[in-house]
């Protein structure tokens, strides 16, 4: 099964601080995604990438940046963390083929105080 | 913004009963649907996919798709306590790169 590894698994950050969430996949998938999950909102797409060097805005990109330095790694960056960014963040990867499933990491629980 | 809407928000069914979950896309360009299951504290995992009109069955799980109405449904027969989870519907455009998810249906199967 596809392996997607997120780090850290839990993070407490201070308001105004910088936070970097990391994601690594070992399945040579072209596409990678960052979602956040909040009660009542389901999974919402923040940023995604088609491959190394590319990043695209998803549905809720404000306050977030992304970086895809290689096929395997995709980071989500919060330059100035705010309490409203407290959430569970999931990284996912998938093939470029239109009809393939997406594989999720175990998630990062971020609390901004 | 185009949405994926799921109903009901929550559902309680007795063990051995039938659970029926619904999902509709407001995006007319959607062509592909998935159902994911997420147990509490875990990550979502794909349960079933459906891309053509009609029905698809895998064990106790059946999905239906009506492309004209952009509606899909998931039916779980002989529900078990282990089926208790959040069920997420996802949709993707033929020309799209990512899956857009609904808010989910929380299913609880009680003994």
């Amino acid at each position: 099964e596809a392996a997607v590894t997120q780090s850290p698994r839990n993070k407490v950050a201070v308001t105004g601080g910088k936070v970097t969430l990391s994601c690594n996949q070992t399945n040579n998938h072209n596409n990678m995604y960052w979602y956040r999950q909040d009660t009542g909102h389901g999974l919402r797409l923040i940023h995604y990438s088609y491959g190394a060097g590319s990043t695209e805005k998803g549905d809720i990109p404000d306050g977030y940046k992304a970086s895809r330095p290689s096929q395997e790694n995709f980071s989500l960056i919060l330059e100035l963390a705010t309490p409203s960014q407290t959430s569970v963040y999931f990284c996912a990867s998938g093939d470029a083929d239109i009809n393939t499933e997406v594989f999720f990491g175990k998630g990062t629980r971020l609390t901004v105080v | 913004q185009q949405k994926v809407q799921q109903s009901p928000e929550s559902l309680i069914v007795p063990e051995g009963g039938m659970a029926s979950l619904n999902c509709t896309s407001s995006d007319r360009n959607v062509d592909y649907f998935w159902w994911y299951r997420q147990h509490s504290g875990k990550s979502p995992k794909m349960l079933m996919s459906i891309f053509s009109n009609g029905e698809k069955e895998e064990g106790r799980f059946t999905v239906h798709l009506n492309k004209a109405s952009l509606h899909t449904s998931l039916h779980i027969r002989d529900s078990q306590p282990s089926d208790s989870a959040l069920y997420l519907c996802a949709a993707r455009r033929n020309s799209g790169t990512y899956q857009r998810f609904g808010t989910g249906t929380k299913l609880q199967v009680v003994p």
Side-chain angles (χ1 to χ4, degrees):
Chain A
E1 184 171 301
V4 179
T5 304
Q6 293 182 231
S7 63
R9 294 292 317 281
N10 290 280
K11 172 78 177 177
V12 178
V14 295
T15 298
K18 182 177 181 178
V19 177
T20 299
L21 306 183
S22 299
C23 179
N24 174 274
Q25 56 101 359
T26 57
N27 300 286
N28 201 33
H29 287 158
N30 288 326
N31 297 346
M32 294 187 75
Y33 312 88
W34 277 106
Y35 291 90
R36 64 178 281 178
Q37 186 172 37
D38 305 284
T39 303
H41 291 280
L43 283 165
R44 292 181 290 174
L45 183 68
I46 306 170
H47 284 288
Y48 62 100
S49 169
Y50 297 106
S54 89
T55 60
E56 304 290 337
K57 294 180 179 180
D59 291 331
I60 54 164
D62 293 346
Y64 302 94
K65 289 172 58 177
S67 173
R68 182 90 181 268
S70 65
Q71 180 79 341
E72 297 79 20
N73 296 295
F74 190 37
S75 298
L76 185 68
I77 303 146
L78 291 67
E79 296 277 5
L80 294 169
T82 68
S84 64
Q85 294 175 313
T86 293
S87 186
V88 178
Y89 292 84
F90 286 100
C91 176
S93 73
D95 278 332
D97 289 342
I98 197 77
N99 59 353
T100 57
E101 69 180 280
V102 168
F103 296 90
F104 287 86
K106 292 186 176 182
T108 295
R109 182 173 295 275
L110 174 65
T111 303
V112 182
V113 297
Chain B
Q1 185 182 93
Q2 306 292 355
K3 288 188 175 181
V4 177
Q5 295 178 301
Q6 292 187 242
S7 64
E9 285 188 17
S10 62
L11 182 63
I12 299 175
V13 300
E15 185 175 354
M18 172 77 83
S20 295
L21 291 68
N22 297 291
C23 172
T24 303
S25 171
S26 63
D27 183 348
R28 300 300 304 177
N29 296 308
V30 159
D31 269 326
Y32 304 96
F33 288 89
W34 290 260
W35 285 93
Y36 287 77
R37 182 167 66 181
Q38 184 180 22
H39 286 109
S40 181
K42 303 294 186 182
S43 57
K45 284 186 169 50
M46 193 197 75
L47 190 61
M48 291 184 74
S49 61
I50 188 161
F51 309 137
S52 303
N53 272 326
E55 177 182 301
K56 183 176 175 182
E57 182 178 331
E58 291 180 4
R60 296 183 295 109
F61 299 88
T62 302
V63 291
H64 295 267
L65 176 61
N66 180 328
K67 281 200 163 185
S69 60
L70 295 174
H71 178 263
T72 179
S73 57
L74 172 68
H75 305 273
I76 307 171
R77 63 175 173 81
D78 189 23
S79 296
Q80 301 298 308
S82 59
D83 294 326
S84 297
L86 181 68
Y87 288 79
L88 294 159
C89 175
R92 180 171 171 172
R93 290 179 168 186
N94 185 32
S95 60
T97 305
Y98 58 86
Q99 295 177 17
R100 181 171 281 131
F101 286 81
T103 54
T105 293
K106 185 174 182 180
L107 173 65
Q108 186 177 357
V109 181
V110 296

